Amino acid sequence: MDPTTDNAGPSGNPGGTARDALEALRAEIAKAVVGQDPAVTGLVVALLCRGHVLLEGVPGVAKTLLVRALASALELDTKRVQFTPDLMPSDVTGSLVYDTRSAEFSFQPGPVFTNLLLADEINRTPPKTQSSLLEAMEERQVTVDGTPRPLPDPFLVAATQNPVEYEGTYPLPEAQLDRFLLKLTIPLPSRQDEIDVLTRHAEGFNPRDLRAAGVRPVAGPADLEAARAAVAKTTISPEITAYVVDICRATRESPSLTLGVSPRGATALLATARAWAWLTGRDYVIPDDVKALALPTLRHRVQLRPEAEMEGVTPDSVINAILAHVPVPR
């Protein structure tokens, strides 16, 4: 049985396919968020790849609203943590609590025990608390008092951070950045998109009440599982695999970088390109799929040399230059 054609999922989507359910998911989020289609697509790709997403943008560009809209359009459990300087690791993972009735310690799960965790302003909390997410993101479990406790499936961390305010923040270390499948930059809206946003607000749109805005669950765990099974069947030729490796190896040789993409990053690029190929309706990966996902998959896995940074070089410009020079398979 082909999961992309025979599974209607819990939402009973009209097309009866996993791809239709995820297309409906993107359309449903657009009811609340205007002009951020690449970020919406990135979140869907992360769900397909069982990955996590770092959303970066100045205040007021709907980073949190985007994740809340995703949660409202999915039949998944979701929790939100506002990361602050005084947040403790146990506030995220949970802790042992003494029960006076049973005279025993019992585990009280923290907010990380959910399907979709919104880690708001993750760079405002100290490294000790940031690191409490490392095991959860990589191993999909939390160890408390020596006992590993599995997290639910699906599990996705969507973290937000502000790129322009550095006072009172703690930059994410490379080890944690590498745990994020994608880093999505949320730009300021175009003039027309901003007019649309203001028009919606003038007509009574309330970002705190997504139900009133018409956002409804249109996909659920069964749709995601069917979609993931279909993505796993998407063909990757040896030439495409070599192309991904050549791109990642080129970052390690770039004179503008002190840190290139690791093999984990290469694996991530192959996975995201595969998911994008399936979303666009193909059962095989082409070089354009790799190019389309290269920036969000790799930009947070490289580190600029200080002198290159002073000259205005950015991770995106380095990756774009590499994409322009690495031979494309025919």
Side-chain angles (χ1 to χ4, degrees), residues 69 217 299 303 306:
R299 60 164 58 109
Q303 193 173 70

Side-chain angles (χ1 to χ4, degrees), residues 132 193 220 259 263:
S132 67
D193 286 340
L259 178 69

Side-chain angles (χ1 to χ4, degrees), residues 15-73:
T17 71
R19 189 183 288 111
D20 286 344
L22 294 185
E23 285 297 329
L25 176 66
R26 296 163 70 183
E28 203 70 14
I29 295 172
K31 293 180 180 179
V33 181
V34 177
Q36 299 292 359
D37 292 341
V40 173
T41 300
L43 286 167
V44 173
V45 167
L47 283 169
L48 290 174
C49 298
R50 290 184 168 88
H52 310 287
V53 176
L54 181 62
L55 300 167
E56 185 175 272
V58 299
V61 291
K63 298 187 297 295
T64 303
L65 177 61
L66 177 61
V67 179
R68 289 180 52 241
L70 173 67
S72 296

